[in-house]
Amino acid sequence: MPLHMCEEYRNRLELEPVNPGCLLVLTGPSGAGKDTVMNELLQRPSFAGANRIVTYASRPMRPGEVDGVDYNFVTLQRFEEMISLGELAEYFNYAKP
């Protein structure tokens, strides 16, 4: 995204209150800065009352990660069970071709 567009979105998110029924999804590859953006947004008054959804992961925890805070860590078997039972709204498997 061009820098001027990032600035425009930053200004809009800073000034406009968030609709209580609004869902904001941040996506990007690992290390893109999603957590940094999310943490910044959650500090803004316009995001008062907003919540972060903790997703599920079947990979091992990385140093510094906390189960139930960064991700809900489950075994691959449990993750596949959740998929087959329709317990996940969406999922992606990065490890399989």
Side-chain angles (χ1 to χ4, degrees), residues 50-69:
N51 296 300
R52 177 181 186 264
I53 296 172
V54 180
T55 59
Y56 285 84
S58 61
R59 64 166 176 76
M61 277 191 288
R62 295 177 182 147
E65 289 182 325
V66 177
D67 187 24
V69 174

Side-chain angles (χ1 to χ4, degrees), residues 31-92:
K34 299 177 297 291
D35 285 335
T36 301
V37 171
M38 178 184 56
N39 291 335
E40 173 66 26
L41 291 175
L42 291 174
Q43 298 298 316
R44 295 171 186 257
S46 60
F47 276 75
N51 296 300
R52 177 181 186 264
I53 296 172
V54 180
T55 59
Y56 285 84
S58 61
R59 64 166 176 76
M61 277 191 288
R62 295 177 182 147
E65 289 182 325
V66 177
D67 187 24
V69 174
D70 299 295
Y71 293 93
N72 292 304
F73 291 96
V74 295
T75 64
L76 180 57
Q77 180 181 358
R78 174 64 182 131
F79 194 80
E80 289 173 344
E81 178 184 24
M82 293 170 74
I83 293 168
S84 68
L85 294 173
E87 295 179 358
L88 302 174
E90 60 90 24
Y91 64 91
F92 187 81

